[in-house]
Amino acid sequence: MCMGSSTRSMLLLLLILSPISIYAQEVQDEREFDYEKGSGKGPEQWGKLHKEWSACNNGKMQSPIDLSNKRVDVVRTSKKLLRNYKPCTAIIINRGHDIEVYWEGDAGSIEINGTTYALKQAHWHSPSEHTINSKRYSLELHLVHKSIDPTSKHQIAVIGVLYKIGKPNPFLSKLGQNITSLVNQENKHRHPGVIDPREIHMSCRRYYSYIGSLTVPPCTEGVIWTISKKVRTVSLDQVKLLRDAVQDHAEKNARPLQPDHKRGIRLFGP
Ligand SMILES: *[C@@H]1O[C@H](CO)[C@@H](O)[C@H](O)[C@H]1NC(C)=O
Ligand SMILES: *[C@@H]1O[C@H](CO)[C@@H](O)[C@H](O)[C@H]1NC(C)=O
């Protein structure tokens, strides 16, 4: 059960956000694809592996992209990104190519343009998927949210946070033992425990915004991307643990950059 939520809103959320709906969005069993060029199921092939994954190859709004100074429209604003997270029971899942924190109930939400997006899960990619002025960072965290209004135009909103090597990341330090226990334990869940998403530090003052897609199959489009501009730090050991924990010990789980097709990219901030 989650803290600070009334039973009524809890029930409503459970109805709208049953795990099935989120499982339909990102592939949970990731053995069906990989990140290796020439493996037959690498990023260039994703769109051909399943009919439902065709957007991976044919889409015109795919992610990730380079967030280049030359391409962004700067929007001066003092409005911060609105986050209203709360602690909630979560499980940690080894999906084969990444480690995922999946909140089982109401972990709070963000608000974008008047629409509320409930936090569902978090996972990591290394190296980073998005680049800033062609610079690739060591790690990228994705916080995946789903609209609580099933009729809203954009159903998924993802926040990305980039990390370079430096001081350990406190959130990952706290989960270190749990992740260690998942090494090579594909899909074995740890017992649920309360995870507080407010412990994921990020700057909400300056952020990029554009419309893209999920970066794993089915590469669903219409995703509102928000990438915090401030690059934070993570230790080399923490990045290594996230890599070692997953099934293939692959060196990376970052999808290559996708064409931006002249999409608008905005940089909000003071
Ligand atoms: C918010 O809505 C306005 C008006 O519909 C639109 O122009 C803008 O692109 C939207 N912003 C985001 C981040 O979706
Ligand atoms: C993490 O590990 C601790 C200690 O074993 C356990 O109590 C907690 O439930 C675990 N949390 C998750 C989310 O698996």
Short mmCIF file of all heavy atoms in Angstrom, two decimals, residues 112-113 154 209 211 224 266 268, ligand 1:
data_model
loop_
_atom_site.label_atom_id
_atom_site.label_comp_id
_atom_site.label_asym_id
_atom_site.label_seq_id
_atom_site.Cartn_x
_atom_site.Cartn_y
_atom_site.Cartn_z
N ILE A 112 2.33 18.14 -16.87
CA ILE A 112 2.84 18.78 -18.08
C ILE A 112 1.66 19.36 -18.83
O ILE A 112 0.73 18.64 -19.20
CB ILE A 112 3.61 17.78 -18.98
CG1 ILE A 112 4.83 17.23 -18.26
CG2 ILE A 112 4.03 18.46 -20.28
CD1 ILE A 112 5.58 16.16 -19.02
N ASN A 113 1.68 20.69 -19.00
CA ASN A 113 0.63 21.35 -19.77
C ASN A 113 -0.78 21.04 -19.25
O ASN A 113 -1.68 20.84 -20.04
CB ASN A 113 0.72 20.87 -21.23
CG ASN A 113 1.16 22.00 -22.14
OD1 ASN A 113 1.38 23.11 -21.70
ND2 ASN A 113 1.25 21.68 -23.43
N HIS A 154 -1.19 12.86 -25.61
CA HIS A 154 0.07 12.18 -25.32
C HIS A 154 -0.12 11.32 -24.09
O HIS A 154 -0.37 11.84 -23.01
CB HIS A 154 1.18 13.21 -25.11
CG HIS A 154 1.41 14.08 -26.32
ND1 HIS A 154 2.04 13.59 -27.44
CD2 HIS A 154 1.08 15.35 -26.59
CE1 HIS A 154 2.10 14.56 -28.35
NE2 HIS A 154 1.52 15.64 -27.85
N SER A 209 12.63 19.82 -23.97
CA SER A 209 11.34 19.17 -24.18
C SER A 209 11.14 18.93 -25.68
O SER A 209 11.41 19.82 -26.49
CB SER A 209 10.23 20.07 -23.64
OG SER A 209 8.97 19.55 -23.99
N ILE A 211 8.90 15.96 -28.60
CA ILE A 211 8.03 14.80 -28.75
C ILE A 211 8.81 13.70 -29.47
O ILE A 211 9.33 13.91 -30.56
CB ILE A 211 6.74 15.14 -29.54
CG1 ILE A 211 6.00 16.33 -28.89
CG2 ILE A 211 5.83 13.92 -29.61
CD1 ILE A 211 5.46 16.08 -27.50
N ILE A 224 6.09 12.42 -24.62
CA ILE A 224 6.62 13.73 -24.25
C ILE A 224 7.91 13.52 -23.48
O ILE A 224 7.92 12.95 -22.39
CB ILE A 224 5.64 14.52 -23.36
CG1 ILE A 224 4.31 14.73 -24.07
CG2 ILE A 224 6.25 15.86 -22.96
CD1 ILE A 224 3.29 15.50 -23.24
N ARG A 266 12.69 22.27 -27.44
CA ARG A 266 12.71 23.49 -26.67
C ARG A 266 13.52 23.32 -25.39
O ARG A 266 13.59 22.23 -24.82
CB ARG A 266 11.29 23.94 -26.35
CG ARG A 266 10.59 24.48 -27.62
CD ARG A 266 9.15 24.82 -27.37
NE ARG A 266 8.40 23.63 -27.02
CZ ARG A 266 7.12 23.63 -26.64
NH1 ARG A 266 6.47 24.79 -26.56
NH2 ARG A 266 6.50 22.53 -26.35
N PHE A 268 13.58 24.93 -21.79
CA PHE A 268 12.88 25.79 -20.84
C PHE A 268 13.82 26.15 -19.70
O PHE A 268 14.65 25.34 -19.28
CB PHE A 268 11.66 25.06 -20.26
CG PHE A 268 10.54 24.87 -21.25
CD1 PHE A 268 10.45 23.71 -22.02
CD2 PHE A 268 9.56 25.85 -21.41
CE1 PHE A 268 9.43 23.54 -22.92
CE2 PHE A 268 8.52 25.68 -22.32
CZ PHE A 268 8.46 24.51 -23.08
C1 LIG B 1 1.52 22.65 -24.33
O1 LIG B 1 0.38 23.05 -25.02
C2 LIG B 1 0.61 24.09 -25.96
C3 LIG B 1 -0.73 24.51 -26.53
O2 LIG B 1 -1.51 23.41 -26.91
C4 LIG B 1 1.57 23.57 -27.03
O3 LIG B 1 1.86 24.58 -27.96
C5 LIG B 1 2.85 23.13 -26.38
O4 LIG B 1 3.69 22.52 -27.33
C6 LIG B 1 2.57 22.10 -25.28
N1 LIG B 1 3.80 21.82 -24.56
C7 LIG B 1 4.23 20.56 -24.36
C8 LIG B 1 5.46 20.42 -23.56
O5 LIG B 1 3.67 19.60 -24.82
#
